Amino acid sequence: MSRPFRLMIARRSAEALLKDEGITTLPVDPFALAASRDITIEGKPETHDGVSGMLLRHGNSFGIIYATHIASEGFQRFSVSHELGHYFLEGHIDQLLQTGVHVSHAGFVTADPYELEADHFAAGLLMPETPFRKELENHEPGLATVDALAARCITSRTATAIRYAELSRAAIAVVVSTGGVIDYCFMSDAMKTLPKLLWLRKGTRLPAGTATARLADAPDQVRAGAAVAEEADVRDWLGGTTKAAVSEESVGLGGYGKILTVLSSDVIGREEEDEAEADEDDLIERWTLRFR
Amino acid sequence: MNEEPSPSDIFRKRLREAREMRDYKQEQLADLAKMPATTIAHFEAGTRKPSFDSLRKLAIALEITTDYLLGRVDDPELAEAGDPLFRDVAKLSGSDREIAKDFLKMLAKRSSKKDKAS
């Protein structure tokens, strides 16, 4: 099974679980879900960092410990959901029991396939596709949508932005960087339609001259949560052969010195869609029976 | 190469043994554990691996311990006789280790209370 397929299965497993439990609205409460399985949950002391979560078993009793040193409720709920991923996903018993006590660093930062599966389970659990899509369609593309969705799902800005890029029909690119260097980039399908696109790679520098690069040069502002916005040419960020304006919105994510950038466009990817729709309209027109 | 069997390899054999010990057909166990009978068939054939959730549901339905289904103990009635997570806590560093130990003690108490209640 390919890795992208396994990750999709992990997200779908979470969504299927919600369906089984009759949970159809946002926000999803992972603590209540754990309680329904009699899983004891306990926060670690705030003063202690270490691992973001642990799933533990003793006989038939299960428990989850999660880190509270990051005050974000979104991070804590994601950590608990990640551990629930290990609990609910098939095959994780082999991995977890063979490596002994299970510890996690939730947040899409690992290359371990089991950890990634648990992250994707958590994303599917807290941001299930159907209600998430419905909610995002109420907003114009951009950073404000990420914030609105994060508030609705009680999830962190970064986790929400990744899910947003995955599910939005608009052209979206989400870039997270630290100290002017790119950590990762996720693009929506519409953004991927741009020909000869440059894939932003981990470890490469932010494009020079962009508003985000200027913000990155002011670490104090990043830590203070400053936001910048301007119009950019998509080629400055993603290369390619298409000149198109995109909205570039960036915000400092606080103490860790990270910046979240959302590039969005209402136009990119729509031309093909419009043509397809026009073709379809034409086809329907030609084949519709008329009672004259 | 002589590799140790994985927990899910042991599980598939132990599940069948426990089901036969209780004299349940796959359908009966499925009803008790609230899962499709085909899932039990897949687990026993090894074509699907269980989650911890399935493991726990089956242990409760069979009135045995997950330790038996995982091959940690050989007596199906014997609970908490060798918890692998607890044993390997040594791999954790610093105060995470202390936190995990305290938490497992609490889980152990919960387990024994439940056993007494049932």
Side-chain angles (χ1 to χ4, degrees), chain A:
Chain A
M1 214 189 291
S2 72
R3 180 177 284 192
F5 187 69
R6 285 184 67 110
L7 299 181
M8 187 191 75
I9 296 282
R11 290 193 299 274
R12 294 280 159 86
S13 300
E15 288 167 347
L17 176 69
L18 293 174
K19 204 175 158 194
D20 287 348
E21 299 291 315
I23 300 167
T24 54
T25 52
L26 301 172
V28 173
D29 183 355
F31 292 86
L33 185 60
S36 79
R37 292 300 197 278
D38 212 15
I39 297 171
T40 310
I41 298 195
E42 203 171 276
K44 290 201 288 182
E46 278 174 37
T47 47
H48 180 71
D49 48 9
V51 296
S52 65
M54 287 187 246
L55 173 67
L56 300 106
R57 179 189 74 93
H58 194 284
N60 292 357
S61 294
F62 284 80
I64 289 172
I65 303 179
Y66 67 99
T68 62
H69 65 285
I70 296 174
S72 155
E73 195 182 356
F75 176 78
Q76 294 175 11
R77 284 161 46 89
F78 196 90
S79 297
V80 169
S81 303
H82 173 105
E83 297 307 320
L84 287 174
H86 289 306
Y87 178 79
F88 281 108
L89 287 170
E90 289 187 0
H92 280 228
I93 65 164
D94 283 345
Q95 176 65 13
L96 269 51
L97 293 177
Q98 283 178 334
T99 54
V101 67
H102 172 65
V103 298
S104 292
H105 297 271
F108 301 98
V109 290
T110 168
D112 180 324
Y114 289 91
E115 292 299 289
L116 272 176
E117 277 181 41
D119 276 344
H120 283 259
F121 177 95
L125 190 80
L126 296 173
M127 298 171 279
E129 181 169 348
T130 306
F132 190 86
R133 263 192 203 280
K134 205 170 151 192
E135 185 71 29
L136 80 81
E137 276 158 16
N138 293 332
H139 303 274
E140 292 297 313
L143 183 61
T145 310
V146 173
D147 284 342
L149 287 162
R152 190 80 185 86
C153 300
I154 320 180
T155 39
S156 73
R157 265 174 160 162
T158 47
T160 313
I162 293 168
R163 191 69 167 145
Y164 175 48
E166 185 180 48
L167 294 177
S168 176
R169 290 196 175 89
I172 304 291
V174 166
V175 183
V176 171
S177 56
T178 312
V181 177
I182 290 168
D183 294 330
Y184 51 80
C185 168
F186 287 87
M187 284 188 265
S188 67
D189 287 342
M191 191 64 99
K192 288 178 196 163
T193 62
L194 286 174
K196 299 195 174 165
L197 213 60
L198 178 77
W199 292 85
L200 293 180
R201 295 241 296 272
K202 182 182 176 175
T204 55
R205 292 206 67 80
L206 287 166
T210 58
T212 309
R214 289 198 296 279
L215 177 60
D217 283 340
D220 288 351
Q221 288 195 42
V222 174
R223 278 193 290 276
V228 293
E230 70 177 36
E231 194 171 276
D233 183 336
V234 72
R235 292 175 300 180
D236 293 344
W237 275 92
L238 305 173
T241 52
T242 311
K243 178 179 165 58
V246 288
S247 159
E248 175 188 342
E249 297 168 280
S250 297
V251 61
L253 295 177
Y256 288 92
K258 289 187 184 297
I259 297 177
L260 169 68
T261 303
V262 178
L263 306 173
S264 59
S265 162
D266 253 345
V267 182
I268 296 169
R270 287 292 160 100
E271 286 164 27
E272 283 182 25
E273 204 176 277
D274 290 347
E275 277 171 28
E277 274 174 19
D279 286 348
E280 197 180 338
D281 289 346
D282 186 41
L283 200 68
I284 293 166
E285 176 71 20
R286 281 188 281 128
W287 286 90
T288 304
L289 291 172
R290 304 212 183 275
F291 297 96
R292 291 183 188 176

Side-chain angles (χ1 to χ4, degrees), chain B residues 6-64:
Chain B
S6 65
S8 63
D9 283 337
I10 297 167
F11 166 80
R12 56 181 280 228
K13 291 179 198 135
R14 287 285 173 102
L15 176 62
R16 182 185 290 273
E17 283 170 19
R19 179 176 62 75
E20 288 172 352
M21 180 182 72
R22 298 286 186 229
D23 206 16
Y24 290 143
K25 293 191 183 318
Q26 288 183 341
E27 291 77 13
Q28 289 171 296
L29 176 58
D31 271 354
L32 287 168
K34 296 187 176 62
M35 57 176 69
T38 48
T39 304
I40 310 272
H42 277 298
F43 284 159
E44 289 186 4
T47 46
R48 264 178 74 179
K49 293 180 175 188
S51 64
F52 281 111
D53 193 47
S54 309
L55 184 75
R56 185 168 167 272
K57 279 181 180 168
L58 289 164
I60 291 168
L62 288 161
E63 294 183 37
I64 55 172

Side-chain angles (χ1 to χ4, degrees), chain B residues 2 4 26 37 48 55-56 71 76 78 80 83 90 107 111 117-118:
Chain B
N2 229 352
E4 277 199 20
Q26 288 183 341
R48 264 178 74 179
L55 184 75
R56 185 168 167 272
L78 189 62
E80 310 127 35
D83 191 275
L107 283 183
S111 283
S118 62

